[in-house]
Amino acid sequence: MTGNSVLDALLVLVVAIAVGWLVLVAFLWVHRPSRELAVPALRLVPSVVRLVRSLISDPATPRSAKVALVGLLAYLISPIDLIPDFLPGIGSLDDLIVVAIVLKWTGRRVGLERLRANWPGDEAGFATLRRLLGLGA
């Protein structure tokens, strides 16, 4: 490879990463919860963490859902965010959006009954979680 082809390949890689990041930001922006739902949902964080831990240890949870939940925990623990916190309107909510997407996907696999059985919080908190995830009553 010549020096120019290496630089061209590097430029293509940087552009691809930038475009991928912008697509991800757009996806998260479209799937962000409303302000009326985001504030109560942020209060659920301790219960959601216990729910995730409970679903991972539940033998009825499918393996694919467990893998997604372990990945979710790893993302939440990581100090690196997909969306920097300084971006207005979405920066501080990226964790909530990722949680909602993963739990919605997981909820469809395990069912509303399993989510309820593993929910450590109260009924009002579970109702908020159901609204956030867009799962039926």
Side-chain angles (χ1 to χ4, degrees):
M1 280 184 131
T2 66
N4 285 340
S5 63
V6 170
L7 287 177
D8 289 344
L10 186 59
L11 180 61
V12 168
L13 179 65
V14 168
V15 168
I17 289 171
V19 168
W21 184 81
L22 288 172
V23 167
L24 178 64
V25 169
F27 178 79
L28 292 178
W29 182 261
V30 168
H31 287 80
R32 75 189 185 285
S34 67
R35 188 172 295 247
E36 299 81 36
L37 187 55
V39 173
L42 287 172
R43 292 187 189 120
L44 296 178
V45 169
S47 294
V48 168
V49 170
R50 289 193 308 270
L51 171 67
V52 168
R53 195 173 49 205
S54 179
L55 285 170
I56 289 170
S57 63
D58 186 346
T61 303
R63 182 175 293 155
S64 61
K66 287 182 181 186
V67 169
L69 292 169
V70 168
L72 173 63
L73 283 180
Y75 174 75
L76 292 175
I77 291 170
S78 171
I80 300 170
D81 284 340
L82 290 174
I83 309 299
D85 289 336
F86 64 82
L87 290 177
I90 193 171
S92 61
L93 293 178
D94 68 320
D95 290 344
L96 178 62
I97 296 166
V98 171
V99 166
I101 291 168
V102 172
L103 283 181
K104 185 173 189 172
W105 182 84
T106 301
R108 289 181 178 157
R109 273 136 193 85
V110 300
L112 193 58
E113 299 79 26
R114 292 281 353 124
L115 284 179
R116 180 63 195 112
N118 286 287
W119 179 249
D122 61 5
E123 285 298 322
F126 189 71
T128 300
L129 179 73
R130 238 185 26 241
R131 281 184 44 223
L132 177 67
L133 301 182
L135 299 174

